[in-house]
Amino acid sequence: GNSVTQMEGPVTLSEEAFLTINCTYTATGYPSLFWYVQYPGEGLQLLLKATKADDKGSNKGFEATYRKETTSFHLEKGSVQVSDSAVYFCALMNTGKLIFGQGTTLQVKP
Amino acid sequence: DTGVSQDPRHKITKRGQNVTFRCDPISEHNRLYWYRQTLGQGPEFLTYFQNEAQLEKSRLLSDRFSAERPKGSFSTLEIQRTEQGDSAMYLCASSARDSIVTQYFGPGTRLTVL
């Protein structure tokens, strides 16, 4: 079946630190991969996506590369800010619907 | 473009009551999705529509749940005889015909069953 596994949180970092949130997936076929972000009190927002192997999605300084050989889509940012504090969800799309990981809470301290 | 809207934002009900939620997708988006999110978990797929046709339903959607999209625009999700286990955030999303990969989410309806 299809599933997504994310590293457990919370992840606590100081401002300007490097961020990695690991995400691996299991899927049949060739899914599209996504990172969604949920800021406190707000709805889910698409952060970035990649639709085929070796594609790199990027937005707001965040990046993730679709690695078919390791079935991974790790989220990275070189220098986090306090405003990046949120819950991050990795997801895959297969047959039209999204399948999400359990989410990783990021707390960035000044 | 006003985004996906959901109504109500919060609903508190007693066990055994029926509740109905509404979702208005982004204008001219032909696909509409419902998800459920419980505390500390990622959203789980419930069902989706292409225009007015309901194309897929999750096994999570018991017989007490029904969703409609009668004119291919807004959608309603009804839960009959609510149970405490139905307490969750119900999320709606929509996607455009030429970009079905990108789903835009509404703010959600938080249901609390007492």
Side-chain angles (χ1 to χ4, degrees):
Chain A
N2 299 312
S3 65
V4 174
T5 302
Q6 294 180 232
M7 63 187 288
E8 289 197 17
V11 173
T12 303
L13 296 173
S14 297
E15 208 165 21
E16 299 183 2
F18 184 85
L19 168 71
T20 300
I21 300 178
N22 290 337
C23 171
T24 57
Y25 68 90
T26 303
T28 54
Y30 304 97
S32 296
L33 300 175
F34 305 82
W35 279 98
Y36 277 82
V37 59
Q38 192 167 37
Y39 297 103
E42 297 185 17
L44 273 171
Q45 300 176 26
L46 177 63
L47 181 59
L48 54 85
K49 66 183 180 188
T51 57
K52 61 183 187 298
D54 300 325
D55 269 2
K56 179 186 283 189
S58 61
N59 186 25
K60 299 182 181 178
F62 290 90
E63 292 183 341
T65 301
Y66 190 144
R67 301 285 188 202
K68 185 168 176 287
E69 63 276 12
T70 54
T71 62
S72 65
F73 193 56
H74 304 320
L75 182 68
E76 296 183 336
K77 187 175 185 182
S79 176
V80 293
Q81 306 300 312
V82 171
S83 57
D84 293 326
S85 298
V87 182
Y88 292 81
F89 293 94
C90 184
L92 67 84
M93 178 178 286
N94 219 335
T95 64
K97 59 183 182 285
L98 286 166
I99 296 166
F100 288 87
Q102 75 273 27
T104 302
T105 299
L106 170 65
Q107 297 174 339
V108 181
K109 298 188 174 181
Chain B
D1 217 348
T2 57
V4 178
S5 61
Q6 294 186 245
D7 184 69
R9 295 291 304 277
H10 304 274
K11 178 71 176 179
I12 300 174
T13 191
K14 293 183 179 179
R15 189 176 52 170
Q17 298 295 304
N18 299 343
V19 294
T20 300
F21 310 140
R22 176 179 170 125
C23 171
D24 287 89
I26 293 172
S27 178
E28 298 186 2
H29 277 195
N30 68 325
R31 287 197 175 189
L32 186 148
Y33 311 80
W34 286 98
Y35 294 83
R36 181 172 66 188
Q37 185 178 17
T38 53
L39 203 59
Q41 300 298 315
E44 296 174 297
F45 170 79
L46 294 178
T47 188
Y48 87 93
F49 294 83
Q50 180 165 293
N51 300 313
E52 64 273 13
Q54 188 172 18
L55 295 190
E56 188 172 346
K57 291 171 59 173
S58 165
R59 287 171 293 177
L60 293 174
L61 217 61
S62 76
D63 291 345
R64 297 184 297 106
F65 288 71
S66 63
E68 293 183 344
R69 195 183 183 199
K71 297 183 180 179
S73 56
F74 72 92
S75 175
T76 58
L77 177 68
E78 181 183 17
I79 309 174
Q80 296 182 327
R81 304 181 303 281
T82 52
E83 302 172 356
Q84 288 185 326
D86 297 331
S87 295
M89 178 76 85
Y90 290 83
L91 299 171
C92 178
S94 68
S95 63
R97 187 186 313 273
D98 57 354
S99 183
I100 63 172
V101 169
T102 303
Q103 294 184 17
Y104 297 89
F105 282 80
T109 294
R110 181 168 295 285
L111 173 65
T112 302
V113 182
L114 302 176

